[in-house]
Amino acid sequence: DSGVTQTPKHLITATGQRVTLRCSPRSGDLSVYWYQQSLDQGLQFLIQYYNGEERAKGNILERFSAQQFPDLHSELNLSSLELGDSALYFCASSVEGWADEQYFGPGTRLTVT
Amino acid sequence: AQTVTQSQPEMSVQEAETVTLSCTYDTSENNYYLFWYKQPPSRQMILVIRQEAYKQQNATENRFSVNFQKAAKSFSLKISDSQLGDTAMYFCAFMNPPGANSKLTFGKGITLSVRP
């Protein structure tokens, strides 16, 4: 158990809908990262937050957004969902950022039908 | 942009034997970190080992060691005394230096099967 929790574990929704994925980092970790793992694109970095502020951005679509709250939990919002958004979404956390070990959560499996 | 290449999609090894997983990367940076992550069938991503580019000494963690060749931009993972629990997908990853957009870039992964 990495200490990072993600909810829900599984999510099935229809195209055009909006969903919110939630992540609670390890106690004491200030950075949260979001990744998408799909068969087509592999494992891709989406976005990083550090202590409530966006720090780094990867291949995140405009339909996706994220935020980190004062209690350091983070949410990833996915809107106008398409079939191609079906993937495993991971959250990871680290103490600060650069070169710190990232601890991954168990992931949320999103299926868009 | 940094790229990470894992050219072998699958490998198989007999239990108790040694296997080496290959990884190459491309960067113009001098200071960076390299990682190997393991993803077993449970899908949990687990850090196996990491290497700091400025350190010449190869990192070692129990049965796992790396062969880091900075000039060749090569970062292979050696697993000694392979165990059934090593069956997993292994990802090589590159972390670029701190800055406005420091992030982890992953290779496509390699599926390792350990045969009893």
Side-chain angles (χ1 to χ4, degrees), chain B residues 22-43:
Chain B
S22 302
C23 172
T24 58
Y25 57 94
D26 187 27
T27 184
S28 58
E29 304 289 348
N30 192 48
N31 182 27
Y32 49 86
Y33 280 73
L34 294 162
F35 304 84
W36 278 98
Y37 279 87
K38 168 183 177 181
Q39 188 177 38
S42 66
R43 295 293 188 180

Side-chain angles (χ1 to χ4, degrees), chain A residues 26 28-33 92-97 100-103:
Chain A
R26 291 188 322 151
D29 285 359
L30 297 178
S31 272
V32 170
Y33 311 78
S93 73
S94 70
V95 174
E96 292 212 4
D100 290 333
E101 178 172 349
Q102 293 186 23
Y103 294 86

Side-chain angles (χ1 to χ4, degrees), chain A residues 38-75:
Chain A
S38 64
L39 286 175
D40 292 342
Q41 302 294 328
L43 192 57
Q44 288 196 103
F45 167 73
L46 295 178
I47 197 163
Q48 177 201 359
Y49 276 81
Y50 173 76
N51 204 21
E53 299 288 329
E54 182 185 306
R55 175 171 273 191
K57 217 167 186 177
N59 300 322
I60 188 166
L61 300 172
E62 285 192 9
R63 300 184 285 109
F64 296 0
S65 65
Q67 54 184 326
Q68 186 179 27
F69 294 86
D71 67 352
L72 301 178
H73 91 271
S74 177
E75 292 181 357

Side-chain angles (χ1 to χ4, degrees), chain A residues 4-25:
Chain A
V4 178
T5 60
Q6 288 187 249
T7 56
K9 284 189 176 179
H10 302 278
L11 199 49
I12 302 174
T13 189
T15 53
Q17 295 299 304
R18 172 188 169 95
V19 297
T20 297
L21 313 184
R22 182 187 168 100
C23 168
S24 292

